[in-house]
Amino acid sequence: MSSSKAFSADFDSTRYRLLTEASEAKDGDCVLYWMGRDQRVEDNYAMLAARGIAKEQNVPLKVVFPFYTSFNDMSVRQFTFMSKGLEEVERDCRALNIPFMVKVSSPDQVAETVSEAAKEHKAGAVVSDHMPLKIFKEWNAAVAADLDKSDVPLFQVDAANVVPVWVASDKQEVGARTLRPKINKLYSRYLKEFDKVEANTEKCDLGPLTNWKEVLGSLDAKKVDLSVSVPSTFVPGRTAAMAAFQDFCDNKLKKYADNRNDPNLDVQSGMGPWIRFGQVGFQRLALNVKKLGKYSDGVAAFIEEGVVRRELSDNFCFYNSNYDTLTGAAGWARESLQLHSTDAREYTYTKEEFEKALTHDDLWNAAQIQLVNEGKMHGFLRMYWAKKILEWTTSPAQALEWGVYLNDKFSFDGSCPNGYVGVGWSVMGVHDMGWKERDVFGKIRFMNYNGCKRKFDIFNFVSKYEPAAGNALAAGGEIAVEKKAKKSAKKQKTK
Ligand SMILES: Cc1cc2nc3c(=O)[nH]c(=O)nc-3n(C[C@H](O)[C@H](O)[C@H](O)COP(=O)(O)OP(=O)(O)OC[C@H]3O[C@@H](n4cnc5c(N)ncnc54)[C@H](O)[C@@H]3O)c2cc1C
């Protein structure tokens, strides 16, 4: 982190870090905001930073969005969600007389695209937002190296976390218990109302509207699965997000603290997809729930998830570049998984069987069907689901890979730090501790069907996803309804 004369005095210098040797905005024709993770105009510190520098320099702000034609295991489902959200961003930019330029680029070309845009528009400074995934780090490093050749600074702003990831902690945290006190200390300093983005006052050529159909049509069909459906469960864009959030505040927040782990009670916020694509920032949600002045338990639980847990995921990916492989696990977990990697597995499934929900377990199948049909699995079931992938694959490395693959292909909120950490927690004990040693799992925390039964009515959940039970029977399993009947017969006998 360093301060720069580019920023006005009231911009918090700890929100950004400088990625170039060059540290001061040059005379230029504009300031360029390279939008990546934080795909919104309002409540976006990167946008505000770029606008602020532009104002200091007396030049307009321009925004470039390199639309990557593939990204990890993202399918057409998430790309559609992203592009529709960006349509709203484009409208919001134009309303502020800010040019918004979408440049279709393969992942290999993203850095070049940004550098070229900076040159073409004679940017005196470039601002990027922050995503701790490897490919974003590589893109930023490449852009910084290129900008240094012409003495143009690149400022990177953490606009996704309430407490910037590099401020919250200077190292990989052990878990929520070690990050929480650090965040709590800094939280009120950073949880502030946002300024409004000022319109460009200069005459700006806004260019033609983006042809979004053409942009979506440019996806790399070799890498992006175009056959995945796009359910209407989550309506893209900030406006829809805020409407869904209002519904959460009005109807669900009061039950959130006690019931968020019951998959039959839909009381989670469902904000994951919008947060993932930065269509809303969690800081806005935190500010709004605090303003309500009621449901204090619900508010506290929501902030714990959205600030402490979410920022813990960013912390992990920021400080551990092996977040997506077993190498990223703690020593105890790696050793234990290795020791048990050759244990006999009672069941094993192929990737296709998992994808098609063809296991012997009706609950697992129902969760997978929910993911495929609705684009998001209930948070509690995500844990059970990923742990069973560990139990029913031939190696932990395979389980990690397939868990990430299925999450990223089908979940609207996949392909992000929370996804890697969620699967990592389940499969390789990230942020967890060693538990009683058992087959296959070693010391990784175990979850089972009976445990779920104690928490919620499995039969009720499974019956919402019809093929789940049939698939389980076909795979030789028992189903919730039979288990229920057996249990009550047993009870009768013992009376
Ligand atoms: C195997 C597995 C995979 C997961 N994959 C993802 C993923 O791809 N994307 C994703 O955002 N989350 C993921 N999670 C974390 C969590 O399950 C989801 O964030 C949550 O269920 C999203 O639903 P919601 O928005 O209704 O959550 P709410 O309970 O309403 O929480 C609000 C927000 O807080 C954050 N949050 C909530 N729980 C967690 C958590 N445990 N860890 C980190 N942040 C949290 C999310 O940003 C969430 O949107 C995963 C967890 C597991 C176990």
Side-chain angles (χ1 to χ4, degrees):
M1 264 162 291
S2 65
S3 60
S4 162
K5 278 186 205 151
F7 286 87
S8 63
D10 58 354
F11 193 82
D12 188 335
S13 62
T14 61
R15 272 250 161 242
Y16 70 86
R17 53 184 194 155
L18 185 61
L19 299 186
T20 41
E21 292 289 321
S23 64
E24 292 188 18
K26 266 179 64 169
D27 287 342
D29 289 353
C30 73
V31 168
L32 189 67
Y33 168 26
W34 158 23
M35 185 178 277
R37 181 188 203 177
D38 294 284
Q39 298 165 20
R40 63 185 179 279
V41 171
E42 270 185 64
D43 307 333
N44 178 349
Y45 282 119
M47 187 90 185
L48 284 167
R51 184 68 195 93
I53 304 172
K55 194 174 171 183
E56 294 278 306
Q57 299 293 114
N58 279 315
V59 293
L61 164 66
K62 296 185 178 179
V63 180
V64 63
F65 189 91
F67 193 99
Y68 25 90
T69 52
S70 69
F71 187 82
N72 297 346
D73 292 316
M74 258 169 72
S75 66
V76 70
R77 174 175 289 183
Q78 297 90 359
F79 276 107
T80 306
F81 187 85
M82 177 167 101
S83 75
K84 293 212 177 295
L86 288 168
E87 276 186 58
E88 196 171 324
V89 174
E90 179 172 47
R91 281 199 298 275
D92 291 349
C93 281
R94 291 172 84 94
L96 294 171
N97 189 32
I98 297 172
F100 180 73
M101 305 170 289
V102 175
K103 309 264 182 200
V104 170
S105 317
S106 71
D108 293 345
Q109 292 167 331
V110 164
E112 206 182 312
T113 298
V114 176
S115 299
E116 273 173 13
K119 280 183 200 119
E120 186 189 333
H121 294 272
K122 299 199 175 59
V126 179
V127 174
S128 65
D129 48 40
H130 178 256
M131 171 71 126
L133 300 187
K134 281 179 271 196
I135 191 158
F136 277 86
K137 284 186 194 172
E138 286 162 20
W139 289 336
N140 272 277
V143 172
D146 196 61
L147 290 179
D148 257 334
K149 290 183 203 152
S150 43
D151 231 13
V152 172
L154 173 60
F155 300 102
Q156 186 175 49
V157 178
D158 185 348
N161 292 304
V162 176
V163 181
V165 65
W166 42 75
V167 177
S169 170
D170 58 3
K171 59 172 195 277
Q172 184 186 320
E173 289 294 332
V174 174
R177 77 184 155 79
T178 60
L179 183 64
R180 192 178 298 108
K182 295 184 177 177
I183 296 253
N184 284 347
K185 236 194 246 164
L186 296 161
Y187 181 62
S188 45
R189 170 181 164 192
Y190 286 97
L191 190 74
K192 299 237 168 79
E193 195 44 75
F194 293 89
D195 292 334
K196 288 271 168 217
V197 178
E198 289 178 26
N200 278 334
T201 50
E202 301 81 359
K203 195 168 155 30
C204 288
D205 177 6
L206 298 179
L209 276 167
T210 304
N211 182 338
W212 290 101
K213 211 170 153 205
E214 207 173 282
V215 170
L216 257 189
S218 68
L219 293 176
D220 181 346
K222 287 201 196 95
K223 296 185 179 144
V224 178
D225 192 329
L226 302 176
S227 70
V228 179
S229 66
V230 186
S232 55
T233 34
F234 295 90
V235 181
R238 186 176 188 279
T239 309
M242 293 316 289
F245 187 62
Q246 190 58 49
D247 177 51
F248 169 69
C249 293
D250 293 344
N251 301 309
K252 303 177 181 177
L253 185 58
K254 55 177 165 292
K255 300 182 205 136
Y256 185 81
D258 294 333
N259 297 132
R260 70 183 182 284
N261 281 333
D262 186 336
N264 291 312
L265 305 175
D266 172 30
V267 302
Q268 284 192 285
S269 71
M271 296 310 289
W274 292 290
I275 294 172
R276 155 65 181 95
F277 288 101
Q279 296 174 7
V280 284
F282 195 86
Q283 182 155 334
R284 165 54 53 214
L285 309 183
L287 286 166
N288 285 14
V289 286
K290 289 205 103 173
K291 264 189 241 155
L292 291 173
K294 53 185 176 180
Y295 312 137
S296 55
D297 288 353
V299 170
F302 186 64
I303 303 263
E304 164 71 16
E305 301 293 5
V307 179
V308 177
R309 299 279 162 179
R310 198 176 54 85
E311 302 198 3
L312 182 63
S313 300
D314 262 39
N315 169 278
F316 182 69
C317 295
F318 186 63
Y319 289 112
N320 188 335
S321 53
N322 294 312
Y323 55 77
D324 53 351
T325 66
L326 289 178
T327 320
W332 66 265
R334 256 193 340 258
E335 280 158 28
S336 185
L337 284 169
Q338 176 61 30
L339 196 66
H340 290 273
S341 59
T342 52
D343 289 355
R345 269 82 172 148
E346 198 179 350
Y347 300 92
T348 51
Y349 295 104
T350 63
K351 189 161 146 182
E352 202 185 6
E353 285 166 332
F354 279 123
E355 193 159 334
K356 296 196 166 144
L358 296 176
T359 79
H360 66 285
D361 179 324
D362 57 349
L363 176 58
W364 196 95
N365 294 345
Q368 172 67 16
I369 295 170
Q370 182 181 46
L371 173 67
V372 172
N373 291 358
E374 298 168 16
K376 193 167 160 296
M377 188 188 296
H378 186 275
F380 178 80
L381 287 175
R382 281 179 130 156
M383 300 187 269
Y384 178 73
W385 171 87
K387 288 201 172 280
K388 293 296 145 185
I389 299 180
L390 171 61
E391 194 173 335
W392 303 329
T393 36
T394 50
S395 75
Q398 188 88 98
L400 192 63
E401 191 191 318
W402 289 357
V404 167
Y405 163 79
L406 292 170
N407 192 54
D408 290 2
K409 178 171 174 180
F410 293 110
S411 198
F412 276 116
D413 62 6
S415 278
C416 71
N418 274 353
Y420 289 108
V421 169
V423 179
W425 176 87
S426 312
V427 172
M428 57 174 179
V430 169
H431 298 143
D432 207 355
M433 56 182 206
W435 292 73
K436 183 175 163 282
E437 196 156 1
R438 59 173 68 235
D439 286 351
V440 182
F441 280 78
K443 292 181 182 165
I444 304 296
R445 186 197 296 247
F446 179 66
M447 278 175 83
N448 68 1
Y449 197 93
N450 282 337
C452 294
K453 210 152 68 181
R454 284 192 289 276
K455 286 213 174 263
F456 63 95
D457 183 344
I458 292 183
F459 176 60
N460 188 5
F461 184 78
V462 171
S463 44
K464 289 182 203 153
Y465 300 96
E466 221 200 309
N471 291 356
L473 285 174
E478 281 183 87
I479 57 175
V481 66
E482 288 177 351
K483 290 182 185 171
K484 216 175 185 178
K486 267 192 192 163
K487 198 179 164 196
S488 66
K490 207 167 150 196
K491 250 191 192 164
Q492 294 288 1
K493 247 188 189 173
T494 50
K495 265 188 190 166

